[in-house]
Amino acid sequence: MGTTERADRFYADQVLDRLNPRMREFVNRQEMFFLATADRHGACDNTFRAGPPGFLHVLDDTTLAYPEYRGNGVHASLGNIEENPQVGILMVDFLRDRIGLHVNGRAKSVADDEMRRAHPGLPADQVPGRRALVWVVITVEEAYIHCAKHIPHLQKAPARDHGRPWGTDDFKRKGGDFFGAASEAPERGPFLPPPRPEADAATWRAEAERVLARAERYALGEGTGAGAESTAGAPPFSGWFSRSASV
């Protein structure tokens, strides 16, 4: 792209291997950040984390930590970190300074009791939905600015209810089926979870084929009556999802 000299100058002038005092002050007042992870194969995930100001804790100039709250139970980020510790954090201040901070590094998960023994000064959040299930501790490898020129300047809107529903399982308060994905589930076919460590491959394959066979019989109106659970004649398993020939 012809920008090698400009990129080298940016690395030389702006990229640190630690958090300087102004970066630490910036982190301490953030209420959200974006987290990028990847699994051992390089398949990526990007997610959003939020909490009260300072929920992303600066333990020292090379270490950050944040609590993992109760969420949807998928734990995609934690799963990726177990396989690949490299993470990327992006904090953006849309409200005051209109500037961003990137932090790249290596992460690990730490149990809450272990974390508090090592750092007894950590606050104990009394909001049930904001109690740490585990902590993610990040060793900083790179820290650098995200420039202001394309960051919109936003304003906070006044709260319209009695506060955020931290930790709720209420379908509507979590956003419901906002994108209409549930209505497309029949076209997708039945979801089959991947094999679990506690089940051997043969047992899991048999169960997967049984579920697929039952779903196909239901699609043909044959989901009731004697023999509805039989796997005789079922096609071999060929993926987590199955689509009918008409889709």
Side-chain angles (χ1 to χ4, degrees):
M1 301 287 288
T3 64
T4 301
E5 182 178 346
R6 185 151 49 97
D8 288 344
R9 187 165 63 251
F10 179 83
Y11 267 85
D13 294 344
Q14 293 295 329
V15 181
L16 303 180
D17 60 357
R18 67 192 185 285
L19 300 169
N20 67 18
R22 295 192 68 173
M23 290 175 175
R24 295 198 295 271
E25 186 275 332
F26 182 87
V27 173
N28 280 329
R29 56 184 170 82
Q30 299 308 304
E31 298 180 62
M32 65 179 187
F33 64 85
F34 301 94
L35 174 69
T37 61
D39 67 13
R40 65 179 178 272
H41 303 296
C44 297
D45 182 77
N46 190 276
T47 190
F48 172 80
R49 291 290 181 267
F55 82 108
L56 178 58
H57 297 268
V58 180
L59 302 181
D60 56 49
D61 63 358
T62 60
T63 315
L64 296 172
Y66 70 88
E68 277 285 351
Y69 302 140
R70 185 178 185 276
N72 58 15
V74 175
H75 301 305
S77 299
L78 289 177
N80 284 349
I81 288 168
E82 287 297 313
E83 296 188 357
N84 176 0
Q86 297 295 149
V87 300
I89 286 177
L90 172 62
M91 291 160 271
V92 182
D93 183 348
F94 296 99
L95 305 177
R96 192 178 91 178
D97 296 322
R98 205 171 53 84
I99 204 75
L101 175 64
H102 291 266
V103 176
N104 298 328
R106 297 176 65 85
K108 63 179 180 180
S109 58
V110 179
D112 183 59
D113 57 350
E114 180 182 345
M115 191 71 179
R116 294 187 185 281
R117 284 196 299 270
H119 304 279
L122 284 174
D125 204 314
Q126 299 305 309
V127 178
R130 294 204 308 249
R131 292 173 185 165
L133 297 178
V134 297
W135 291 79
V136 175
V137 178
I138 300 119
T139 300
V140 176
E141 295 179 339
E142 293 182 329
Y144 56 94
I145 192 172
H146 187 99
C147 71
K149 63 182 179 180
H150 298 303
I151 297 176
H153 196 176
L154 307 180
Q155 292 182 339
K156 267 191 176 181
R160 292 183 294 179
D161 53 25
H162 298 294
R164 296 176 179 175
W166 296 101
T168 185
D169 277 330
D170 182 271
F171 183 70
K172 289 185 177 180
R173 299 192 80 190
K174 290 171 67 174
D177 188 27
F178 184 86
F179 293 105
S183 65
E184 299 180 20
E187 298 178 12
R188 180 201 66 193
F191 168 72
L192 297 174
R196 306 304 187 198
E198 62 270 17
D200 64 86
T203 300
W204 181 85
R205 186 184 183 90
E207 174 66 11
E209 291 181 354
R210 185 186 71 80
V211 172
L212 280 175
R214 184 177 61 182
E216 288 170 357
R217 286 196 300 276
Y218 269 91
L220 295 172
E222 303 171 0
T224 60
E229 293 298 318
S230 171
T231 59
F237 173 67
S238 60
W240 307 143
F241 298 101
S242 176
R243 292 178 179 271
S244 67
S246 62
V247 174

